[in-house]
Amino acid sequence: MAYSNYINDFSAVPVTPITEPVTLAEAKNYCRVTFTADDTLITMLITQSREAVEAATGLSLIPKNVVTYFNNISGDFDIPFGPVDIDSLELFDMNQDGLEITGTNLQLVGDEFPKLVFPKYANLKAIYDAGYTIIPMDLKIAILDQISYSYENRGLDSDTGICNKTWKACQRWTRISPIL
């Protein structure tokens, strides 16, 4: 993406009810926990771990409604937080009082992770649905690894956040610049 193409603002709101991609039973089995005393903690770690993987990859691992304000001055703007439901995408020119851009006035390339080729405008707004209904196994294992790491290392002062195994999986799936 060109330096002149960037996100000004966004919101990505999970579709309710939220169904996490990892169940409590799967997390407990992966962590080898057989008792119920830590069920609330593990449930919180499931959400925290999914959010960490989403932040590291730029993906939406659960269904979300997304509103993004961005500039596409150079073209080829990556529509963020995919996979994107291309049929739900609505595009608006905010410089013209929110005029909807349709048909031959816009060009997208790609399906799940589309690029907006044109219009090449500043101050655009996109509204769309994003997220996996079933996440790839590699990302599910990354979430489970992060849950296990967070569970085993809770309370440590030297906690570095996301574990190395999860980070490596995230780098294979990242849709954002690792430099930023």
Side-chain angles (χ1 to χ4, degrees):
M1 181 180 341
Y3 71 92
S4 57
N5 292 348
Y6 54 89
I7 295 173
N8 295 321
D9 195 12
F10 71 91
S11 68
V13 179
V15 175
T16 55
I18 296 172
T19 302
E20 293 292 349
V22 172
T23 66
L24 176 61
E26 289 170 326
K28 287 176 68 174
N29 183 48
Y30 198 81
C31 295
R32 296 188 174 118
V33 174
T34 57
F35 49 88
T36 59
D38 286 344
D39 283 5
T40 302
L41 171 63
I42 294 170
T43 300
M44 289 188 298
L45 292 176
I46 290 169
T47 300
Q48 182 273 333
S49 297
R50 187 239 329 140
E51 290 173 347
V53 170
E54 286 180 328
T57 61
L59 298 173
S60 296
L61 300 181
I62 60 172
K64 295 180 181 177
N65 300 117
V66 180
V67 177
T68 305
Y69 295 88
F70 62 97
N71 291 332
N72 187 39
I73 296 168
S74 299
D76 293 336
F77 177 80
D78 292 307
I79 304 293
F81 314 114
V84 173
D85 176 2
I86 207 81
D87 294 326
S88 70
L89 181 71
E90 299 175 272
L91 188 65
F92 303 92
D93 182 352
M94 301 311 290
N95 287 330
Q96 294 188 24
D97 297 325
L99 177 70
E100 186 169 5
I101 302 168
T102 59
T104 59
N105 294 325
L106 80 104
Q107 180 184 2
L108 292 167
V109 175
D111 189 26
E112 283 189 329
F113 302 99
K115 288 182 181 281
L116 180 64
V117 177
F118 68 86
K120 295 180 180 179
Y121 297 160
N123 205 14
L124 293 169
K125 175 183 177 183
I127 301 173
Y128 55 93
D129 298 327
Y132 288 101
T133 51
I134 300 173
I135 68 168
M137 187 57 67
D138 194 30
L139 293 173
K140 186 169 187 169
I141 297 297
I143 293 170
L144 288 166
D145 286 332
Q146 185 61 33
I147 294 165
S148 178
Y149 174 83
S150 296
Y151 182 74
E152 291 298 323
N153 294 290
R154 63 192 182 278
L156 282 181
D157 288 338
S158 63
D159 180 24
T160 58
I162 198 164
C163 73
N164 285 334
K165 190 174 177 190
T166 298
W167 181 250
K168 288 177 184 175
C170 289
Q171 291 310 294
R172 290 191 296 271
W173 287 89
T174 190
R175 304 294 302 175
I176 56 177
S177 172
I179 296 169
L180 302 176

